[in-house]
Amino acid sequence: MVTSGVPQGSVLGPVLFLIFINDLDSHLVTSLLKFADDSKLFSKVNNDSDRDVIQQDLHSLVEWSDLWQMAFNTEKCKMMHLGKQNKKFDYYMNNQKLDVGNEEKDIGVLITDDLNPSTQCHSGLC
């Protein structure tokens, strides 16, 4: 018996979830991609001011999650720095420093911080 929420695997579950999180990016300056229960915040960062914008958007996401009682699992939240000139700033959610990854599988595609496709091919995913 389900006393709240929507049962996982239901037909309406994904649609209701997307309606629920529809305004997640309404107060953000940077870009946010949403797919099912996965969200990606991204932006170009050239200086401290750009870093502050991303950090403020992360704070806005936490405020949204507190308001709607749908906390982000910060243990699963990661960041990836792209580009050779990247200053590799640190970012935080709920006062917890986000882990830095150098590769991430996204919808079957392996993305690396150097954007080199050879890792995808060597892993047997090509």
Side-chain angles (χ1 to χ4, degrees):
M1 179 166 46
V2 177
T3 59
S4 68
V6 178
Q8 188 170 357
S10 69
V11 175
L12 283 178
V15 174
L16 293 173
F17 182 76
L18 288 175
I19 292 169
F20 184 76
I21 67 164
N22 190 49
D23 69 336
L24 179 62
D25 55 353
S26 63
H27 297 334
L28 302 182
V29 175
T30 57
S31 299
L32 184 78
L33 296 176
K34 298 178 276 191
F35 180 77
D37 65 345
D38 190 24
S39 301
K40 290 174 183 56
L41 181 74
F42 63 97
S43 183
K44 188 180 221 180
V45 178
N46 291 321
N47 52 47
D48 290 349
S49 177
D50 293 341
R51 179 213 44 215
D52 293 343
V53 168
I54 288 182
Q55 186 57 61
Q56 179 56 45
D57 279 354
L58 287 168
H59 181 69
S60 294
L61 289 173
V62 170
E63 286 179 344
W64 181 93
S65 73
D66 290 343
L67 175 68
W68 293 105
Q69 299 175 4
M70 193 172 129
F72 286 96
N73 184 347
T74 53
E75 295 292 323
K76 288 185 173 182
C77 293
K78 298 177 193 166
M79 55 187 239
M80 184 183 295
H81 299 288
L82 303 176
K84 294 178 182 179
Q85 304 287 330
N86 198 304
K87 295 184 180 182
K88 301 186 178 180
F89 292 115
D90 292 330
Y91 298 95
Y92 298 83
M93 285 182 85
N94 282 332
N95 297 317
Q96 180 178 336
K97 182 179 169 186
L98 297 178
D99 290 334
V100 177
N102 59 359
E103 67 180 36
E104 187 68 31
K105 193 172 180 181
D106 187 33
I107 313 175
V109 177
L110 190 61
I111 307 293
T112 60
D113 57 359
D114 62 2
L115 299 176
N116 189 335
S118 65
T119 307
Q120 171 91 15
C121 294
H122 289 129
S123 68
L125 298 172
C126 274

